[in-house]
Amino acid sequence: MAQITLKNLAHSYVPNPKSEADFALKQMDHVWQDGGAYALLGSSGCGKTTLLNIISGLVRPSQGRVLFGDRDVTDAETAARNIAQVFQFPVVYDTMTVRDNLAFPLRNRGMDAGYIAARVQDIARMIGMEEALHRKAKGLTADAKQKISLGRGMVREDVNAILFDEPLTVIDPHMKWELRTQLKQLHHQFGHTMIYVTHDQTEALTFADKVVVMYDGRVVQMGTPEELFETPAHTFVGYFIGSPGMNFFDADVTGTRARLGDAVVDLGAAYGPQTGRVQIGIRPEHAELTAGEGLPLQIQRVEDVGRHRLLRGTIAAGEINIVLPEGTGIGADLTHVRLRPEKINLYSDDWRVTPEGRAV
Amino acid sequence: MDKTQNNKAWFLVLPVLVLVAFSAVLPLMTVVNYAFNDTFGNNRFFWAGLEWFEQMVTSSRMHDALGRQILFSAIILAIEVPLGIFIALNMPKRGFWASFCLVVMALPLLIPFNVVGTIWQIFGRVDIGLLGRVLNDLGIAYNYTNNPFDAWATVIVMDVWHWTSLVALLCYAGLNSIPQAYYQAARIDQASRWAVFRYIELPKMKGVLLIAVLLRFMDSFMIYTEPFVVTGGGPGNSTTFLSIDLVKMAIGQFDLGPAAAFSLMYFLVILLVSWVFYTVMTNLDREEQK
């Protein structure tokens, strides 16, 4: 087990990258703590899998170094890194039985037979396949095969890290939840560093202590689920996390006030002069309907999404989504919306601006 | 059930039936006719029963030819299959050199059999052949026309040259259908090169390998043209394989009765072996679907 450090790392699939656009992964410096449970979140094609393959050694980065602890493993073979990885689609060794599949990584390391048998039994119990141990892997269903892949990923106890590349794509929904819980349990039990790639925010937020959001080849934010929710570092994080995503409005900002067209909004913090495209962002959860305070609102429609209702409307600056807590009525007098000042974030050219001071 | 009966459709298959009758059934029946009868010319036949078959089954000449034939098929399978796999494993997977290799590998397969024979016949000649002359100049007494071992070596190397490509190309196709994820998973699982071959590549090649073995067995068991052109079955009878012997018997000595009985048994042997192969293959498929 080791802390994983990425130093000046960047990767391009083009032999001689000229501009930044040629890079699938833009230059980054990150430290992944030993024993952390990370979720790597981002839309398809943002470089998640590339980053994972660089850590496991399947891809050699075009520049920068990868360190496990103090050891530079940039040029080390995958096998020498002692790392486990589970792929999006099941990979099983067809001619082997389920038992042999699970034992394969241990046998390759020359572990003794007694230990292997016990360990395989443990893992089989964990993935719920004790009955199928003697069966050939070939005829199994896709989700059974994926459980074997997961089991093979977890069977070695001494790995430096376990990487999951959207491993639950082919698994049934109820089994998904169960396996995720087990992964989490496993993490508590053994304390492996785990990196879990997904584009499903629920999966990411329930699995991980820290969520890493990637966008366009960059890590835009690395933080706890709460940080991602309250203070998204980039507008993409705002859009991507939360359902629906954050509301953004173009604004002119002076000190503690933002001007949205004709209206003025209190920001709850003071900001210096801004350049570039300036926007304020507010979560739908942090906007509330009022009888007169705040900005005039036109309601388009209200959707019931189960635990709460979702109001879609327009204010002068553009469209806005508002989450209405359960049980609140929408009276005819509620014609305005108030944005809670302490929950407003400010963005300049898509990146969050840190306030200079809290407003009194 | 009122099912419309319309037998007119049979007329549509009539042309094929006629064609098959003339090209396969009638010639085969002629052979069957010869196998059970004796004739002294003038198209007059006398019933001979199983006499020709008994004669052939007990003939040491046929036993020797069959022995040589089995030995030949066994040797070329033992060389071509592992060699084909080895070549397929080492061929480039993509880019210019992949296409280049494919074209070069396919070339021997495109050459007519008697041309292959002629090429090697000349190549191996002691007086003018590149191979024969060079070997003799190096002090190796090589002469396929009077040394049985040299004759066998020439015929086998020729067949390997001609047909290994087929095995290699089939295996190459099998290997290329393996998703990259399997190799990645094997690297993650710290599998050795041998384990990758044994547990990933070989199982995925199993289907095409069986086809390759079947094709090579059938072809080599029926081989005629190439050894006939190179050695003519000699020296002595040392490279007289079944079909060469058959032709000698049928149109050399004009022993049509024994030759017909011989060819029927020959046909049945090939049919039997192919059937066994086919059964094994379909059973494997069924097992895989379980």
Side-chain angles (χ1 to χ4, degrees):
Chain A
M1 279 173 243
Q3 168 179 298
I4 299 171
T5 312
L6 309 178
K7 253 192 193 165
N8 293 326
L9 191 84
H11 186 70
S12 170
Y13 288 105
V14 188
N16 293 305
K18 287 176 187 72
S19 67
E20 202 176 46
D22 286 341
F23 279 91
L25 276 187
K26 320 281 196 256
Q27 186 166 323
M28 58 177 71
D29 279 279
H30 287 285
V31 175
W32 309 66
Q33 298 298 337
D34 183 14
Y38 292 91
L40 200 50
L41 187 63
S43 47
S44 302
C46 68
K48 293 173 302 200
T49 301
T50 305
L51 182 57
L52 214 59
N53 288 345
I54 285 176
I55 294 175
S56 64
L58 296 173
V59 170
R60 198 197 175 284
S62 329
Q63 69 168 69
R65 317 300 301 171
V66 180
L67 283 84
F68 285 6
D70 297 326
R71 190 162 76 99
D72 188 333
V73 294
T74 317
D75 297 307
E77 269 291 312
T78 302
R81 297 189 188 195
N82 198 19
I83 205 159
Q85 186 170 1
V86 180
F87 300 94
Q88 185 173 6
F89 295 103
V91 178
V92 296
Y93 304 107
D94 291 335
T95 52
M96 294 188 203
T97 59
V98 174
R99 176 180 284 112
D100 291 338
N101 258 286
L102 293 177
F104 192 57
L106 298 176
R107 292 201 179 126
N108 288 332
R109 282 182 79 71
M111 304 282 193
D112 74 70
Y115 170 77
I116 293 177
R119 183 74 187 148
V120 165
Q121 206 64 40
D122 281 354
I123 294 292
R125 189 175 326 116
M126 198 177 297
I127 58 176
M129 293 196 73
E130 279 171 300
E131 264 86 71
L133 274 177
H134 63 280
R135 288 194 54 182
K136 273 254 156 68
K138 180 129 205 166
L140 299 172
T141 58
D143 63 333
K145 285 184 180 177
Q146 186 66 340
K147 282 194 270 172
I148 298 175
S149 302
L150 276 168
R152 262 204 344 266
M154 299 183 298
V155 77
R156 281 176 285 166
E157 287 177 281
D158 62 342
V159 287
N160 283 314
I162 309 181
L163 314 178
F164 300 95
D165 191 354
E166 306 196 33
L168 303 182
T169 316
V170 294
I171 304 265
D172 271 355
H174 73 280
M175 194 68 205
K176 233 180 215 184
W177 186 82
E178 199 180 312
L179 281 175
R180 210 159 51 212
T181 317
Q182 275 170 355
L183 288 183
K184 192 126 207 206
Q185 215 177 339
L186 188 86
H187 179 251
H188 282 303
Q189 203 178 337
F190 294 108
H192 288 126
T193 309
M194 287 190 178
I195 303 177
Y196 189 104
V197 165
T198 176
H199 58 246
D200 177 344
Q201 51 166 311
T202 327
E203 219 167 272
L205 298 177
T206 52
F207 173 80
D209 313 329
K210 279 225 170 154
V211 178
V212 181
V213 184
M214 287 189 70
Y215 172 65
D216 192 22
R218 259 192 201 90
V219 170
V220 286
Q221 192 167 9
M222 197 168 188
T224 61
E226 197 195 350
E227 285 167 354
L228 296 185
F229 190 79
E230 296 294 347
T231 52
H234 187 272
T235 52
F236 175 78
V237 182
Y239 286 125
F240 202 73
I241 306 278
S243 170
M246 204 173 217
N247 298 299
F248 290 99
F249 305 105
D250 286 323
D252 286 326
V253 173
T254 36
T256 62
R257 278 157 191 277
R259 179 174 285 280
L260 305 175
D262 299 335
V264 172
V265 175
D266 276 329
L267 291 179
Y271 294 90
Q274 300 297 320
T275 52
R277 183 183 183 197
V278 179
Q279 287 170 296
I280 61 167
I282 178 98
R283 289 271 174 207
E285 289 81 356
H286 297 322
E288 57 194 350
L289 291 180
T290 62
E293 192 193 343
L295 311 165
L297 169 77
Q298 251 194 326
I299 298 174
Q300 307 291 348
R301 61 179 194 275
V302 177
E303 295 162 17
D304 197 324
V305 288
R307 272 180 312 156
H308 54 75
R309 278 178 300 169
L310 179 61
L311 183 149
R312 301 194 190 267
T314 39
I315 57 173
E319 289 182 4
I320 184 168
N321 296 318
I322 302 169
V323 167
L324 303 172
E326 208 167 21
T328 48
I330 306 172
D333 56 330
L334 297 177
T335 53
H336 286 67
V337 58
R338 176 176 171 270
L339 313 179
R340 285 183 206 136
E342 70 279 11
K343 299 294 186 186
I344 296 177
N345 287 290
L346 183 70
Y347 295 87
S348 166
D349 285 334
D350 290 328
W351 292 94
R352 180 168 181 270
V353 182
T354 322
E356 290 175 349
R358 282 273 135 202
V360 186
Chain B
M1 278 282 278
D2 285 331
K3 218 176 186 178
T4 326
Q5 289 285 337
N6 188 347
N7 289 327
K8 277 183 198 148
W10 286 107
F11 288 110
L12 298 176
V13 292
L14 204 60
V16 176
L17 281 179
V18 171
L19 203 70
V20 170
F22 274 97
S23 67
V25 180
L26 288 183
L28 187 66
M29 281 305 142
T30 318
V31 173
V32 171
N33 191 32
Y34 278 120
F36 290 98
N37 288 290
D38 198 357
T39 178
F40 302 106
N42 293 333
N43 258 345
R44 294 179 52 194
F45 290 92
F46 306 92
W47 180 251
L50 293 174
E51 196 186 316
W52 300 135
F53 288 91
E54 277 164 24
Q55 191 183 321
M56 280 298 102
V57 167
T58 53
S59 137
S60 65
R61 171 179 172 186
M62 181 152 175
H63 291 168
D64 293 349
L66 183 66
R68 283 190 289 270
Q69 186 69 68
I70 291 172
L71 181 65
F72 177 75
S73 288
I75 291 177
I76 66 116
L77 281 177
I79 296 175
E80 286 176 16
V81 171
L83 184 62
I85 294 174
F86 179 78
I87 292 173
L89 286 174
N90 288 294
M91 269 168 77
K93 293 281 175 286
R94 59 186 67 81
F96 169 79
W97 290 108
S99 322
F100 179 82
C101 286
L102 285 175
V103 171
V104 170
M105 298 284 290
L107 275 180
L109 301 175
L110 300 174
I111 302 175
F113 292 18
N114 54 350
V115 176
V116 172
T118 311
I119 290 174
W120 281 82
Q121 204 265 345
I122 296 172
F123 189 45
R125 274 173 66 163
V126 182
D127 49 352
I128 55 168
L130 186 62
L131 176 70
R133 187 67 190 269
V134 167
L135 282 179
N136 277 285
D137 288 353
L138 288 174
I140 300 163
Y142 162 86
N143 189 342
Y144 66 78
T145 56
N146 62 20
N147 182 329
F149 180 82
D150 293 349
W152 266 81
T154 311
V155 172
I156 284 168
V157 171
M158 173 175 63
D159 198 82
V160 168
W161 176 83
H162 193 180
W163 288 113
T164 303
S165 298
L166 179 76
V167 182
L169 292 178
L170 282 170
C171 290
Y172 183 70
L175 283 175
N176 269 4
S177 70
I178 302 175
Q180 206 53 38
Y182 280 84
Y183 292 107
Q184 295 184 337
R187 282 161 72 186
I188 296 285
D189 292 338
Q190 304 176 321
S192 61
R193 181 71 191 87
W194 167 249
V196 170
F197 176 72
R198 171 70 187 76
Y199 296 113
I200 298 174
E201 292 170 332
L202 200 56
K204 295 278 171 189
M205 279 195 294
K206 196 174 61 185
V208 286
L209 263 181
L210 273 171
I211 291 172
V213 170
L214 177 62
L215 287 177
R216 283 317 301 133
F217 169 77
M218 289 195 316
D219 277 350
S220 66
F221 209 73
M222 299 189 296
I223 194 165
Y224 174 77
T225 316
E226 299 132 288
F228 180 78
V229 173
V230 177
T231 65
N237 272 335
S238 59
T239 56
T240 303
F241 301 120
L242 282 177
S243 56
I244 296 179
D245 209 12
L246 181 62
V247 171
K248 272 186 190 167
M249 197 185 292
I251 30 192
Q253 305 158 221
F254 233 69
D255 284 335
L256 290 181
F262 182 168
S263 59
L264 282 183
M265 289 190 288
Y266 191 4
F267 172 59
L268 288 178
V269 167
I270 291 188
L271 200 63
L272 179 75
V273 174
S274 305
W275 177 79
V276 168
F277 256 100
Y278 179 77
T279 314
V280 169
M281 271 161 68
T282 44
N283 274 348
L284 281 177
D285 279 353
R286 211 170 302 142
E287 228 168 73
E288 280 169 9
Q289 276 157 19
K290 253 183 221 163

